[in-house]
Amino acid sequence: MTTDTVEWFESRGVELVTQDDRCIFPKAQNSQVIIDCLMSEIHALGITIKLQTHIENISPVNDSFKLSIKGKGEVTYDKVIIATGGQPKMSGLQWLADLGHKIEPPVPSLLTFNMPKNPVTELMGVVVNPASVKIPGTKLQDDGPLLVTHWGMSGPAILKLSAWGARVLEAKNYQFKILVNWLNQKNEDVIRTQVTEAIDTNGNKMIRNTNPFNLPNRLWIFLLNKYEINTELRWIELGKKGKNKIVQLLYIDEYEVSGKTTFKEEFVTCGGVSLSDVNFKTMESKVCPGMYFTGELLDIDGITGGFNFQAAWTTGFIAGKLN
Ligand SMILES: Cc1cc2nc3c(=O)[nH]c(=O)nc-3n(C[C@H](O)[C@H](O)[C@H](O)COP(=O)(O)OP(=O)(O)OC[C@H]3O[C@@H](n4cnc5c(N)ncnc54)[C@H](O)[C@@H]3O)c2cc1C
């Protein structure tokens, strides 16, 4: 979020805290305080919200727009702001395409990775911060907190990776490998040196009784077992092969991903109304004067940390001026 947005909320009594250097959350750890703040502003400004009002169609008529409302007839306005959010399917955007807008095909973004039946899911709740994750064969790589869940992996490292790779992952039908670097150390030689130091420092100690890389203990034991390292050995007895395995489990620990967050649980949609069809000074359509666009309906999707809200609020603010 921008400083302006933070100040806006704070001046209305909402206390915010920054987590992981970027993400901003209400101090109350409850989104209701944000909703309450926005609703109170809406009331203060005398804005009417009409609930249960489904717009079935919008068609330009002369210099106006005719809105067909399900079960409630038609109304005409001279200007309309379209703020209908991300549409998971092209069909949800077809009416805008029919009006002449270029539409970037929608695909889900900010999603978590499923790893059905993978034993790692038994570690649900384990967090490593930071870890980095890459998808071999692509340039996709990201880092941040990584959370093991009962279905696979999540957390900002995974969500950000899915955002940058939304189209690539869709093309792979959400079947791919990931390599986890649990120490978020990009240089393999540095990890190798750390492992050598661990061997030198812990020489006669049993491997199972030491955790020299400060990983959550359950994860450390899991990784040792996954790579079939005999935990009854002493560090000094690891040998070259054992040392290589420890480097591997820390540096490029491989998992198969099969599937993503369930449909509609993705946080955001990549794609939408093409930015080339929008005047960003006003958010007005270049194709259909008098029609304005805001938020996730546009071909904008941000990473985690409030960037999607920021995009929705900023574009909404500009469009709301109806220049
Ligand atoms: C689970 C989840 C968690 C998220 N967490 C974050 C986060 O932490 N940070 C962040 O930045 N973003 C987050 N997002 C994304 C963020 O919520 C959206 O990007 C943002 O709300 C988009 O705002 P919008 O106004 O464009 O659309 P929306 O908030 O989707 O609002 C669109 C509205 O239009 C209405 N509508 C649609 N079609 C019609 C129609 N035909 N007639 C009448 N009404 C219609 C819908 O009912 C809806 O109320 C999250 C999203 C999800 C799903």
Side-chain angles (χ1 to χ4, degrees):
M1 282 197 221
T2 63
T3 317
D4 283 353
T5 312
V6 170
E7 280 172 7
W8 190 89
F9 278 108
E10 288 184 338
S11 69
R12 284 157 180 81
V14 178
E15 290 186 89
L16 298 169
V17 287
T18 306
Q19 288 180 6
D20 306 321
D21 294 335
R22 278 187 316 105
C23 302
I24 295 172
F25 292 91
K27 195 173 175 191
Q29 292 290 330
N30 185 341
S31 59
Q32 191 62 42
V33 295
I34 300 286
I35 298 169
D36 291 346
C37 176
L38 294 173
M39 290 307 289
S40 123
E41 189 74 8
I42 284 166
H43 290 136
L45 293 170
I47 296 167
T48 308
I49 299 181
K50 293 189 179 176
L51 297 174
Q52 308 297 322
T53 306
H54 180 89
I55 315 283
E56 288 187 307
N57 190 36
I58 300 182
S59 47
V61 178
N62 302 323
D63 287 339
S64 313
F65 296 93
K66 191 172 71 183
L67 279 61
S68 310
I69 303 173
K70 192 174 182 184
K72 297 183 184 173
E74 292 175 348
V75 280
T76 302
Y77 293 103
D78 57 346
K79 294 186 176 185
V80 288
I81 300 177
I82 314 295
T84 44
Q87 302 294 318
K89 292 192 179 152
M90 192 67 189
S91 54
L93 298 158
Q94 191 54 48
W95 70 277
L96 287 167
D98 292 344
L99 288 177
H101 296 98
K102 185 174 171 219
I103 305 293
E104 301 299 340
V107 297
S109 181
L110 285 181
L111 40 95
T112 64
F113 295 169
N114 288 2
M115 300 171 179
K117 299 201 177 116
N118 192 308
V120 75
T121 56
E122 286 162 23
L123 303 180
M124 65 180 166
V126 162
V127 177
V128 175
N129 182 15
S132 60
V133 185
K134 68 177 169 187
I135 300 179
T138 74
K139 289 184 179 161
L140 296 169
Q141 174 158 354
D142 225 309
D143 54 37
L146 188 154
L147 167 70
V148 181
T149 66
H150 68 273
W151 65 85
M153 289 185 188
S154 180
I158 299 290
L159 292 167
K160 282 192 285 169
L161 186 70
S162 80
W164 297 120
R167 293 202 184 277
V168 174
L169 302 190
E170 201 231 8
K172 289 180 180 289
N173 199 22
Y174 306 102
Q175 311 289 325
F176 53 92
K177 285 186 178 46
I178 58 167
L179 300 175
V180 180
N181 181 329
W182 291 108
L183 300 185
N184 191 29
Q185 171 51 257
K186 306 288 172 353
N187 187 336
E188 184 179 351
D189 289 340
V190 173
I191 293 193
R192 198 164 281 284
T193 305
Q194 283 178 278
V195 175
T196 306
E197 281 167 9
I199 294 170
D200 293 345
T201 312
N202 298 297
N204 276 322
K205 290 187 190 153
M206 309 274 277
I207 293 176
R208 74 174 142 82
N209 292 338
T210 46
N211 179 357
F213 305 103
N214 291 324
L215 291 175
N217 213 40
R218 285 201 296 152
L219 174 66
W220 173 236
I221 298 296
F222 167 82
L223 291 172
L224 292 171
N225 290 330
K226 176 176 170 183
Y227 285 82
E228 297 175 342
I229 293 168
N230 183 352
T231 54
E232 298 304 314
L233 290 179
R234 297 173 194 283
W235 279 90
I236 206 156
E237 297 167 331
L238 250 184
K240 194 174 169 200
K241 209 171 156 194
K243 182 177 169 182
N244 284 341
K245 280 186 183 180
I246 296 215
V247 172
Q248 188 186 356
L249 69 84
L250 293 170
Y251 185 63
I252 44 165
D253 180 27
E254 185 177 307
Y255 295 87
E256 287 284 341
V257 176
S258 178
K260 60 169 179 65
T261 334
T262 329
F263 174 61
K264 281 194 174 164
E265 281 180 9
E266 308 80 17
F267 287 30
V268 72
T269 307
C270 159
V273 174
S274 172
L275 305 187
S276 60
D277 280 354
V278 181
N279 174 353
F280 265 73
K281 290 202 169 103
T282 58
M283 302 315 300
E284 188 173 20
S285 164
K286 291 180 185 170
V287 177
C288 203
M291 178 173 279
Y292 297 73
F293 297 114
T294 75
E296 215 184 298
L297 174 75
L298 291 157
D299 179 26
I300 297 176
D301 60 290
I303 54 171
T304 53
F307 295 98
N308 295 294
F309 286 134
Q310 181 69 59
W313 293 334
T314 302
T315 52
F317 177 79
I318 298 169
K321 293 181 171 177
L322 291 175
N323 287 317

